Amino acid sequence: MNNESIIGQTISFVKQQLKGDSTGHDWWHVYRVWKMAMSLAKEEGADLFVVQLAALLHDIADWKFHDGNDRKGEILAAEWLQSLRLDDVTITHVCEIIRDISFKGAGVKTIMQTIEGKVVQDADRLDALGAIGIARAFAYGGYKGQEMYNPDIEPVLHQSFEEYKKNSGTTLNHFHEKLFLLKDLMNTASAGRIAQERDLFMKEFVARFLGECEEPILN
Ligand code: ADP
Ligand code: NI
């Protein structure tokens, strides 16, 4: 099978897996990450085939059946790529990217080994920023059942993945716990520039949100 049909079949597989998602990990998230990763890959000279597969498969672990198994995504991706008879080197590379891509807390380092991993991670993180990032944070917060905002709960900079996963904070705190940190964690300069601009928009959003909380009641 040629690379183009592998990508085509993978797109159909991912659409099927993510159908009905309302947590912000839907097909259109994957689509944006895929497009952004390709454009960063061209700039950075990364292998486009590996980048596309990793971007398409990075959130494959079905949200409906997420049972706390952190490795489910790489296992499912490996099974899928084996079913397409892809070579082991490519499968291992794609699965390593899927394993290392996620943000695991403010104090936890997740270092991508290859340029392919770096651009996919940047593309995924860019989709957590800006207008879409704000929408995804509130969608995810609603799904988790967390409060939107509560001035009595302080943000926490988590030092371990366990702590980060257990987090029972508010969505507004998530901006301080993750989203505002991302602009300084980009691997590539082009992603860094986009992140900077999206970060400013989110800061303005949070400032307005807090401002509206304090606005005097008109009479
Ligand atoms: P990723 O797969 O990008 O490493 P996650 O699966 O943790 O990250 O997050 C997916 C989306 O949900 C992101 O837009 C992220 O900011 C948002 N999100 C994750 N955790 C929270 C949370 N506790 N509150 C609000 N939004 C969150
Ligand atoms: Ni993602």
Side-chain angles (χ1 to χ4, degrees):
M1 202 186 300
N2 65 24
N3 288 0
E4 208 175 311
S5 10
I6 291 177
I7 298 294
Q9 292 215 28
T10 301
I11 290 171
S12 311
F13 173 63
V14 172
K15 278 186 179 165
Q16 183 56 36
Q17 284 287 320
L18 300 181
K19 206 162 60 187
D21 173 273
S22 59
T23 72
H25 295 86
D26 53 293
W27 159 250
W28 296 106
H29 161 62
V30 173
Y31 175 84
R32 291 186 299 267
V33 172
W34 173 41
K35 292 289 174 189
M36 178 64 81
M38 273 209 283
S39 121
L40 295 174
K42 283 177 193 153
E43 214 147 306
E44 301 291 328
D47 182 306
L48 269 177
F49 186 53
V50 169
V51 164
Q52 290 193 76
L53 288 176
L56 287 169
L57 291 165
H58 85 276
D59 271 334
I60 195 66
D62 195 304
W63 60 279
K64 291 191 288 307
F65 308 114
H66 219 291
D67 49 11
N69 178 357
D70 300 328
R71 303 201 52 187
K72 193 167 168 212
E74 12 161 349
I75 295 167
L76 254 177
E79 282 169 6
W80 167 250
L81 296 174
Q82 274 152 8
S83 78
L84 298 177
R85 306 202 176 286
L86 214 71
D87 65 281
D88 285 346
V89 174
T90 308
I91 296 181
T92 307
H93 191 174
V94 170
C95 291
E96 270 169 13
I97 297 176
I98 297 170
R99 183 193 63 203
D100 294 339
I101 195 169
S102 271
F103 182 86
K104 298 187 171 68
V108 187
K109 285 212 166 8
T110 41
I111 295 171
M112 277 294 181
Q113 306 294 336
T114 64
I115 186 63
E116 287 74 24
K118 289 182 203 291
V119 304
V120 179
Q121 187 176 51
D122 278 1
D124 191 32
R125 287 178 168 174
L126 283 174
D127 208 55
L129 301 181
I132 285 172
I134 295 170
R136 290 183 73 220
F138 285 98
Y140 188 88
Y143 161 74
K144 290 290 268 189
Q146 72 194 16
E147 283 179 282
M148 212 164 63
Y149 171 59
N150 181 340
D152 297 332
I153 304 177
E154 293 283 322
V156 185
L157 295 179
H158 305 102
Q159 298 306 313
S160 76
F161 188 31
E162 289 313 308
E163 233 187 280
Y164 176 69
K165 275 196 296 192
K166 276 204 305 253
N167 176 36
S168 53
T170 67
T171 298
L172 217 70
N173 281 351
H174 183 67
F175 286 81
H176 299 282
E177 292 166 349
K178 172 179 171 183
L179 304 181
F180 291 146
L181 309 176
L182 292 181
K183 73 172 187 345
D184 297 321
L185 294 175
M186 293 293 155
N187 301 301
T188 66
S190 349
R193 279 191 295 274
I194 305 172
Q196 205 79 32
E197 198 238 315
R198 292 186 182 185
D199 184 82
L200 282 178
F201 179 73
M202 293 193 303
K203 294 228 164 85
E204 157 137 32
F205 167 82
V206 169
R208 288 182 75 124
F209 188 112
L210 297 174
E212 288 173 18
C213 291
E214 301 303 329
E215 242 157 49
I217 310 291
L218 301 176
N219 51 34

